Amino acid sequence: MQTKKPMIKESVGSQYYAFNTPNESGAFDSSTYETTIKTDTVKSIGTTENAESTTVRASGKDYETVNQSSNVELAVEVVAFDPDDLARMRGDVVGSKGLISSGRNTQRPFFAYGKVVKKVGGGFRYDWYPKCQLVENTDDISTKEDSFSEQNDTVTIRCYAFNDEGDIKNYVDSESAHFPEGLTEEKFFTKPIITEADLTALTTKGV
């Protein structure tokens, strides 16, 4: 018998995002992203996996249950969000003189979203969701009181499958027996990780 004592979660860390560069037809292209942006403004992240289960019956009994994940939604509570990046995620139109027009029907851009899960004892997990879109965001405000109170907002991000296999997320965990030696948070979030070859390139000598 083997006894394991996995680390417990301690805190959310930084968030990362990188806008996707569409191909010539304007569709999502997993091979090209803009520069990764890092912010330390996250209070909490709630994750909802939208999945479907189908039971296959044969010979008068349940033969197998097929599980399919359609998408994942992240509810990210933040103390602040860069206004230009948020406007871009919303599909708002930014004029050359600084006027931002919001509300019209536009195609919202895809972007990759990354987050850090910190564990008690120094462990961690790094997540990349390569194909995401902003679904909605809150913009609540209340009057200032005598004592300071946080006025946070929530951005809801929908994450889709980014490859033919239907994968939605790529991640590494420091507790895994196969965790890449020499991998750091800075290296992992240099750019979105799409394939294992991308990860290997980050840990080779000279990177």
Side-chain angles (χ1 to χ4, degrees), residues 170-185:
N170 279 333
Y171 69 99
V172 295
D173 195 309
S174 63
E175 293 186 80
S176 172
H178 302 287
F179 182 78
E181 182 179 356
L183 182 65
T184 63
E185 179 178 335

Side-chain angles (χ1 to χ4, degrees), residues 5-195:
K5 188 178 179 181
M7 295 178 177
I8 61 176
K9 296 176 185 177
E10 181 178 42
S11 175
V12 64
S14 303
Q15 70 173 354
Y16 298 82
Y17 53 91
F19 286 98
N20 182 253
T21 303
N23 59 22
E24 293 182 355
S25 62
F28 171 80
D29 185 354
S30 63
S31 65
T32 311
Y33 290 86
E34 297 179 13
T35 302
T36 300
I37 299 167
K38 172 185 178 181
T39 65
D40 294 319
T41 59
V42 182
K43 292 286 290 186
S44 66
I45 298 178
T47 303
T48 302
E49 182 175 316
N50 300 310
E52 295 181 356
S53 296
T54 302
T55 300
V56 179
R57 290 185 59 81
S59 300
K61 60 183 179 181
D62 293 347
Y63 180 75
E64 185 174 357
T65 299
V66 179
N67 297 306
Q68 294 180 314
S69 296
S70 55
N71 61 68
V72 170
E73 285 196 0
L74 305 176
V76 185
E77 182 186 5
V78 293
V79 296
F81 208 101
D82 182 87
D84 287 335
D85 292 338
L86 182 59
R88 186 175 178 185
M89 289 179 180
R90 287 172 48 85
D92 294 343
V93 178
V94 182
S96 59
K97 303 300 183 181
L99 180 66
I100 302 175
S101 300
S102 179
R104 69 184 71 180
N105 291 326
T106 57
Q107 177 66 36
R108 294 190 172 186
F110 287 106
F111 57 91
Y113 183 81
K115 63 183 175 70
V116 176
V117 176
K118 297 182 178 180
K119 303 181 182 183
V120 173
F124 50 83
R125 193 182 76 229
Y126 302 150
D127 299 344
W128 262 126
Y129 296 86
K131 186 179 181 181
C132 305
Q133 280 182 314
L134 179 70
V135 177
E136 61 183 8
N137 65 283
T138 61
D139 190 20
D140 302 327
I141 189 69
S142 60
T143 190
K144 178 182 178 182
E145 303 292 347
D146 292 337
S147 58
F148 177 79
S149 62
E150 294 181 3
Q151 301 196 42
N152 303 330
D153 287 315
T154 299
V155 293
T156 302
I157 297 169
R158 184 168 294 160
C159 314
Y160 303 95
F162 61 89
N163 58 20
D164 294 338
E165 289 74 24
D167 295 322
I168 296 175
K169 176 176 74 171
N170 279 333
Y171 69 99
V172 295
D173 195 309
S174 63
E175 293 186 80
S176 172
H178 302 287
F179 182 78
E181 182 179 356
L183 182 65
T184 63
E185 179 178 335
E186 182 180 4
K187 286 183 178 181
F188 185 79
F189 291 107
T190 299
K191 63 178 183 178
I193 303 297
I194 306 300
T195 65

